[in-house]
């Protein structure tokens, strides 16, 4: 019995130690899913932002700084997404980081940020976005490029693990192609059903799968919208024949209920950051399938 307890203690200590000293750190969870697929069996990984945190407003803790400092590789999106990263990473060797928005192959596939959508508030209301849509993890095409970039860097860092890293990339790509075909079939039935969102994050996914996003409403989740704002949104939902409005976890259900009151519009919830999905080899596909199901749960409700 004593041996068993000591063994478990070593296991627990070993696990926590490996995460404290993870060699590859991803900034946000969906990037971490791609990283996990390519690093499986090669090296320990960790994700900087915890579930529920927004990359736009996150404050780094001392433990985060320690993780970043000891990492062999840090993968992040770009300064308009993770506003806190440039300051922290200026002291980290450029060879030890990948800023995905700066990669030419990714840059070529970027979409303009869709702030031109029906925005019933001030134009500057979503000012943390730059010119381009930085939610690049919602593009399967860009995800494949990200996977290849991580693969190439890992081979330099761990040349003795090349065979496994190659195999991981191959498995990821095949699985993703299968997932894309699966999602395309699932979403055909809802391509003509219009909806509004509260966070304009889904452009890449919507373009690929032919979805009908009618626009986005910008509301501060912490502030109750006024009567005029509520009325304007209700009119917009009715006039544009919206089937659904998708909230995100930070919005109170009561606020959204008020906005759709007096309309036939259903309420759905979308999560662009993969909250609740456990990082694992197939987590990226799981993340896209979860998002697909969230869309279907609301749109395909005949």
């Amino acid at each position: 019995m004593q041996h068993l307890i000591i063994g478990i203690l070593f296991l627990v200590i070993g696990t926590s130690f490996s995460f404290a000293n993870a060699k590859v750190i991803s900034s946000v969870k969906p990037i971490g899913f791609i990283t996990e697929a390519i690093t499986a069996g090669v090296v320990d990984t960790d994700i900087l932002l915890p579930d529920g945190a927004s990359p736009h407003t996150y404050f780094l803790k001392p433990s985060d700084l320690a993780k970043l400092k000891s990492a062999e590789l840090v993968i992040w999106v770009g300064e308009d997404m993770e506003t806190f990263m440039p300051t922290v990473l200026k002291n980290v060797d450029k060879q030890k980081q990948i800023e995905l928005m700066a990669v030419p192959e990714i840059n070529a596939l970027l979409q303009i940020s869709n702030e031109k959508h029906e925005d019933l508030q001030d134009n500057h209301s979503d000012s943390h976005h730059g010119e381009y849509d930085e939610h690049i993890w919602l593009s399967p095409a860009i995800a494949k490029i990200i996977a290849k970039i991580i693969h190439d860097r890992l081979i330099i860092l761990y040349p003795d693990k090349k065979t496994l890293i190659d195999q991981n990339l191959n498995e990821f790509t095949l699985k993703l192609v299968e997932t894309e075909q699966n999602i395309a079939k699932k979403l055909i039935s809802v391509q003509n059903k219009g909806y509004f969102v509260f966070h304009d994050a889904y452009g890449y996914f919507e373009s690929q799968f032919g979805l009908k996003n009618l626009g986005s409403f910008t509301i501060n989740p912490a502030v109750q919208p006024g009567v005029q704002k509520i009325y304007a949104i209700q009119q917009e939902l009715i006039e544009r024949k919206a089937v659904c409005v998708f909230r995100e976890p930070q919005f109170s259900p009561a606020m959204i209920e008020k906005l759709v009151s007096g309309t036939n519009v259903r309420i759905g919830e979308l999560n662009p950051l993969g909250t609740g999905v456990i990082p694992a080899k197939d987590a990226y596909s799981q993340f896209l399938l979860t998002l697909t199901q969230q869309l279907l749960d609301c749109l395909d409700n005949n």
Side-chain angles (χ1 to χ4, degrees), residues 151-223:
H151 160 278
D152 294 353
R153 191 66 68 91
L154 286 180
I155 283 174
I156 295 167
L157 288 170
Y158 310 105
D160 56 321
K161 302 271 181 78
K162 183 183 184 306
T163 307
L164 180 54
I165 298 164
D166 286 346
Q167 185 186 323
N168 284 350
L169 177 64
N170 191 39
E171 283 176 16
F172 175 80
T173 308
L174 290 173
K175 176 75 176 173
L176 184 48
V177 169
E178 181 193 309
T179 302
E180 286 175 276
Q181 291 166 349
N182 188 359
I183 290 171
K185 280 191 200 124
K186 285 175 183 282
L187 292 176
I188 281 173
S189 62
V190 298
Q191 284 178 329
N192 293 319
K193 298 194 175 182
Y195 59 90
F196 281 86
V197 292
F198 282 88
H199 180 190
D200 200 15
Y202 310 95
Y204 294 106
F205 190 85
E206 290 161 345
S207 297
Q208 174 153 350
F209 298 108
L211 297 172
K212 193 178 179 182
N213 180 337
L214 298 172
S216 61
F217 301 123
T218 307
I219 290 181
N220 180 342
V223 180

Side-chain angles (χ1 to χ4, degrees), residues 21-218:
N21 293 278
K23 297 297 183 197
V24 181
I25 307 280
S26 304
S27 59
V28 292
K29 214 171 173 187
I31 300 298
F33 297 154
I34 303 169
T35 304
E36 188 63 38
I38 311 305
T39 58
V42 177
V43 62
D44 287 327
T45 67
D46 201 359
I47 294 161
L48 208 55
L49 264 69
D51 265 358
S54 163
H56 306 308
T57 54
Y58 188 65
F59 285 102
L60 289 172
K61 302 191 289 293
S63 58
D64 296 329
L65 295 171
K67 277 181 198 174
L68 290 169
K69 216 169 181 181
S70 65
E72 290 193 359
L73 185 58
V74 178
I75 304 159
W76 60 298
V77 178
E79 58 186 32
D80 286 324
M81 176 61 69
E82 305 102 333
T83 50
F84 56 85
M85 287 293 259
T87 316
V88 178
L89 291 179
K90 69 172 188 284
N91 299 321
V92 173
D93 183 349
K94 281 270 187 249
Q95 294 305 307
K96 290 188 169 187
Q97 49 176 295
I98 301 172
E99 183 186 357
L100 296 169
M101 290 289 284
V103 174
E105 301 97 301
I106 291 174
N107 212 266
L109 296 179
L110 293 180
Q111 294 181 0
I112 300 292
S113 185
N114 275 343
E115 291 312 312
K116 64 180 186 298
H117 274 337
E118 301 298 324
D119 186 0
L120 299 181
Q121 216 166 345
D122 304 333
N123 290 332
H124 62 263
S125 53
D126 210 9
S127 58
H128 56 243
H129 285 304
E131 183 187 353
Y132 293 105
D133 182 351
E134 300 222 345
H135 303 87
I136 53 175
W137 58 83
L138 283 161
S139 162
I142 292 177
K144 288 171 197 153
I145 296 169
I146 293 170
K148 179 72 167 67
I149 291 161
I150 295 168
H151 160 278
D152 294 353
R153 191 66 68 91
L154 286 180
I155 283 174
I156 295 167
L157 288 170
Y158 310 105
D160 56 321
K161 302 271 181 78
K162 183 183 184 306
T163 307
L164 180 54
I165 298 164
D166 286 346
Q167 185 186 323
N168 284 350
L169 177 64
N170 191 39
E171 283 176 16
F172 175 80
T173 308
L174 290 173
K175 176 75 176 173
L176 184 48
V177 169
E178 181 193 309
T179 302
E180 286 175 276
Q181 291 166 349
N182 188 359
I183 290 171
K185 280 191 200 124
K186 285 175 183 282
L187 292 176
I188 281 173
S189 62
V190 298
Q191 284 178 329
N192 293 319
K193 298 194 175 182
Y195 59 90
F196 281 86
V197 292
F198 282 88
H199 180 190
D200 200 15
Y202 310 95
Y204 294 106
F205 190 85
E206 290 161 345
S207 297
Q208 174 153 350
F209 298 108
L211 297 172
K212 193 178 179 182
N213 180 337
L214 298 172
S216 61
F217 301 123
T218 307

Side-chain angles (χ1 to χ4, degrees), residues 268-279:
E269 186 174 301
L270 289 178
N271 193 313
L273 282 170
T275 306
V277 178
I278 308 296

Side-chain angles (χ1 to χ4, degrees), residues 229-246:
K229 175 81 172 172
I230 290 170
Y231 178 75
I233 288 179
Q234 288 169 344
Q235 290 309 109
E236 190 80 1
L237 293 170
I238 294 162
E239 284 165 21
R240 302 293 298 278
K241 298 184 170 63
V243 174
C244 286
V245 59
F246 287 101

